[in-house]
Structure formats: C-alpha cells, structure tokens
Amino acid sequence: MKAYVIGEGSGLEALTLVERDVPKPGPGEILVRMKANSINYRDLLTIKNAGARGITDQRIPNSDGAGIVEALGEGVTHYQAGDRVVGCFFQDWVSGPITEKTMMSALGGPIDGVLAEYVVLKEQGVLPIPESLSFEQAATLPCAAVTAWNCLIEKGEANAGDIALLLGTGGVSIFAQQIAKFCGIQTIVTSSSDEKLERVKKLGASTLINYRDQPDWENAVLEATNGKGVDVVIEVGGAGTLAKSVEAVRIGGTVSLVGVLTGGTIDPTSIMRKSVKLQGIYVGPQDMFAKLIRAIDYNELNPVIEETVAFDNAKDAYRLMESGQHFGKIVIAFS
Ligand SMILES: NC(=O)c1ccc[n+]([C@@H]2O[C@H](COP(=O)([O-])OP(=O)(O)OC[C@H]3O[C@@H](n4cnc5c(N)ncnc54)[C@H](OP(=O)(O)O)[C@@H]3O)[C@@H](O)[C@H]2O)c1
C-alpha cells in the first residue's frame, strides 16, 4: 500500500511517499481502507519539524481520517466489514479527564496517523459515520470540530443567548461558528480578510472585525458588547493574542486556550482581576465526539471544505494551509 511518512529532514520536503505492507488488525482492532483525510495546523507543524515533537523514526502523519472497515481483529463486536467509520483523534481516550496515557494515543503524533491507504485503528478509536455525511465531510471532524465543541459547549459552558469570540476563519473557528449557530450562541469573528468575513457572515456571525485593519480589536469587541465583553473566547491565536482575548472576555468569562499560531508574552494581572477562567483544551474524548456527531447529524451541519486535494498531491494541501488562504477545512481524498 502507499503511505506518506515523515521523520527525516525538515519542511514539507520531509513528507515522503513510500510502499508499506498492509497492516494486520490485532485483537480489538480493525483495518480501515482510507477514503479521506482532513488536515490541521498541528499536522503541518508536525511535518515541518517532526523532531520538535520527539519523532525520530518514520511516522505516518495526520490525525483525521474516514474510510471503510476492511477486516476485523479478534474480539471486535461493534463493526463489520463494509461499515463506514471515522477515526478518533485519541485512540485510548474514551471518556473522563485526559491523562498522560491517553495523550500518548494521539494519531499522527506519538503513534502512526492516517495518511495511508490502509490504517489499523482500535475498535474504541472509531465511530460510525451517519448517512448524512460523506467520507470527506466526516474526515473534517475528529480534531477541529471536537475541539470547537469542547471549547464552546463542554468546557466553555456557553448557552443559547451567550456571545462567543472566534479568532480567524480556520478549521476550528469555522466549526465553532457552525456549532454556535445551531446552539443559538451569538458570535463575534475576527479575520485578516474582508472577503473571509463576508463568508463567515453568511454562516451567521453577527459582528465582524478585520484584525489587520483594527489591531486593537479587543476594543471593537467591547464596543459590540456594550463594554461588557464576551462570555467565551475560542483562543486559537496563542501567546500573541491571549492578552487581547482576556481584555475582550467578560468578568468571570471563559477563555478556551487551544492555539499556538502566534508568539508573545502576557501579564496575568487581568486574568486574576477579572476572575477569568483560562481553560487549556486538547481536542476531546470519544464519547464527546459521539455526542457531537449526533448534533451535527440532527442539525444538518455541512462542514465547510475549502479544497479537496488528491492523495498523490497531498503536499499541495499543506502548502494551501501554510499560505493561510483557506477558509474552514482542507481535505485529502483517496482514489
Ligand atoms: N489544543 C487543541 O486541541 C487544538 C485542536 C485544533 C487546533 N489547535 C490549534 O488551533 C490553532 C488553529 O488550528 P486550525 O487547524 O483551525 O488552523 P487553520 O485552519 O490553519 O486556521 C488558522 C487561521 O487562524 C487565523 N489566524 C492566524 N493568525 C491569527 C492572528 N494573529 N489572530 C487571529 N487569527 C489568526 C487565520 O484566519 P484568517 O485567515 O481569517 O485571518 C488562519 O486562517 C492552531 O494553533 C492549532 O494548533 C489546537
């Protein structure tokens, strides 16, 4: 079978197409014939500098994939050959709080990922794809959509009528917009592009701010909320935007911290004075993903896919992400 591996060299050139044996499922495992992957900023960073993540041997990248069950290992009871399944980001995090052990089961990081024609996944590490979603759509969900749901609804505890601040228009933020819409949560969205702001307005965003034209965008957020601030921020920017996000959140509000897009420093005084809840989030467990799939199916959420790239041209997907031109998700389709 064909598979991409990383681990030697740096930059996108490190991504190499190789021939490997089709893996065999062991007890409690299933063999999945991949139909689609989606990519995340984390996959781009991992490919460009695998060494920084402690990857020294050849590793298959990507966490997010969907496909067809091809064969079953001993003792598998919930699936049969031909079922359509999507992989979970963490193969060992079924429910409850995250632990060091479950963190080590992240696909395309500490263990092989899904950018290969055949992949072995754990029975507990996949979920059925509802009829309403294609393989490409299902493949967009495991990382970005689960993270958005966790940031906004689970750890973010946002309710109908609350206001959320979403930074940028990448995979996590666009899923947060779509989830907010069906949960009745208002959104304020920032972007570097007026054209992208127009697109997110069509998805239901109520206030739009161009963070390039308005570098002090936290003031625009306060103005839009009558000086009060938002209930929750989905913080994808990281250290470079965190101080502004803390200014933009209300007293006692939540900042869900997920991103590493920008560098910088932060004075923690405002976090303390405003009693802000600063919550680190790392995707989410399988039972949260199952709940999200039900909500997506029921609400007919249509994942926003900017472009679908063929498996043989996979590098083009990461080049597009690197350019920052995309809106929502980028998919790699297998022939
Ligand atoms: N902790 C977790 O579990 C978790 C899970 C998923 C993602 N993440 C992290 O979350 C971040 C976003 O991931 P993603 O996959 O959604 O990435 P993505 O699809 O590449 O989206 C990135 C977007 O962020 C926006 N952006 C860049 N710099 C910005 C800035 N200074 N201020 C505001 N927005 C900015 C840009 O939007 P515009 O083009 O509109 O300006 C860009 O398109 C990454 O750091 C990723 O590692 C963490």
Side-chain angles (χ1 to χ4, degrees):
M1 68 163 188
K2 286 194 226 170
Y4 281 95
V5 294
I6 54 171
E8 279 165 28
S10 59
L12 282 184
E13 295 319 307
L15 188 66
T16 313
L17 190 59
V18 296
E19 274 295 325
R20 276 197 177 180
D21 292 340
V22 174
K24 287 192 173 54
E29 293 178 337
I30 60 177
L31 178 67
V32 178
R33 179 157 57 88
M34 274 295 135
K35 297 290 284 180
N37 276 194
S38 83
I39 65 167
N40 296 286
Y41 192 74
R42 167 244 195 204
D43 304 316
L44 174 66
L45 290 184
T46 306
I47 291 170
K48 285 173 70 176
N49 193 353
R53 294 182 173 234
I55 298 170
T56 48
D57 52 345
Q58 286 203 338
R59 183 74 39 89
I60 298 173
N62 286 4
S63 57
D64 296 4
I68 300 170
V69 175
E70 189 83 7
L72 307 175
E74 203 186 307
V76 172
T77 53
H78 287 92
Y79 296 96
Q80 51 191 8
D83 284 351
R84 297 176 350 120
V85 292
V86 56
C88 301
F89 186 94
F90 293 105
Q91 288 294 287
D92 287 339
W93 191 12
V94 177
S95 62
I98 194 163
T99 64
E100 206 172 336
K101 178 177 176 285
T102 52
M103 278 171 67
M104 293 311 289
S105 69
L107 292 169
I111 61 172
D112 267 343
V114 295
L115 192 53
E117 289 178 313
Y118 292 89
V119 173
V120 164
L121 297 171
K122 292 193 175 173
E123 182 180 21
Q124 66 180 22
V126 299
L127 286 165
I129 301 173
E131 273 180 27
S132 60
L133 294 173
S134 66
F135 289 111
E136 286 78 8
Q137 290 172 323
T140 63
L141 306 177
C143 179
V146 176
T147 302
W149 174 265
N150 199 355
C151 286
L152 198 60
I153 306 299
E154 303 274 349
K155 289 283 198 293
E157 296 179 340
N159 291 305
D162 284 351
I163 307 177
L165 170 63
L166 316 178
L167 307 185
T169 57
V172 173
S173 299
I174 293 303
F175 271 123
Q177 171 58 51
Q178 293 180 292
I179 291 165
K181 177 75 181 159
F182 71 61
C183 290
I185 297 160
Q186 281 185 64
T187 56
I188 298 175
V189 183
T190 72
S191 175
S192 57
S193 151
D194 288 341
E195 187 233 319
K196 289 182 178 182
L197 287 173
E198 276 310 308
R199 288 177 74 181
V200 78
K201 188 178 176 185
K202 291 193 179 109
L203 294 174
S206 46
T207 303
L208 312 169
I209 303 168
N210 186 317
Y211 64 80
R212 288 259 160 80
D213 296 347
Q214 289 181 271
D216 295 332
W217 48 264
E218 69 278 21
N219 294 332
V221 176
L222 289 172
E223 208 174 295
T225 53
N226 299 319
K228 187 177 163 219
V230 298
D231 298 288
V232 58
V233 185
I234 316 301
E235 225 311 332
V236 297
T241 51
L242 183 54
K244 289 174 184 291
S245 292
V246 169
E247 290 310 309
V249 77
R250 70 164 163 81
I251 292 168
T254 300
V255 176
S256 295
L257 187 59
V258 290
V260 291
L261 291 169
T262 59
T265 53
I266 176 163
D267 173 355
T269 312
S270 292
I271 301 174
M272 176 269 293
R273 279 214 189 110
K274 291 176 75 175
S275 300
V276 170
K277 288 177 277 226
L278 188 58
Q279 172 70 55
I281 299 232
Y282 194 8
V283 193
Q286 189 237 33
D287 65 347
M288 194 183 288
F289 189 14
K291 203 191 289 182
L292 170 62
I293 288 177
R294 285 199 298 276
I296 284 176
D297 188 32
Y298 177 70
N299 289 286
E300 299 176 357
L301 186 154
N302 191 6
V304 177
I305 298 174
E306 174 75 45
E307 196 157 315
T308 301
V309 171
F311 176 77
D312 287 340
N313 305 326
K315 271 185 197 165
D316 290 344
Y318 304 98
R319 286 194 192 102
L320 174 57
M321 176 164 274
E322 202 169 30
S323 77
Q325 298 301 305
H326 65 293
F327 178 91
K329 296 294 295 176
I330 302 165
V331 165
I332 296 170
F334 294 61
S335 55

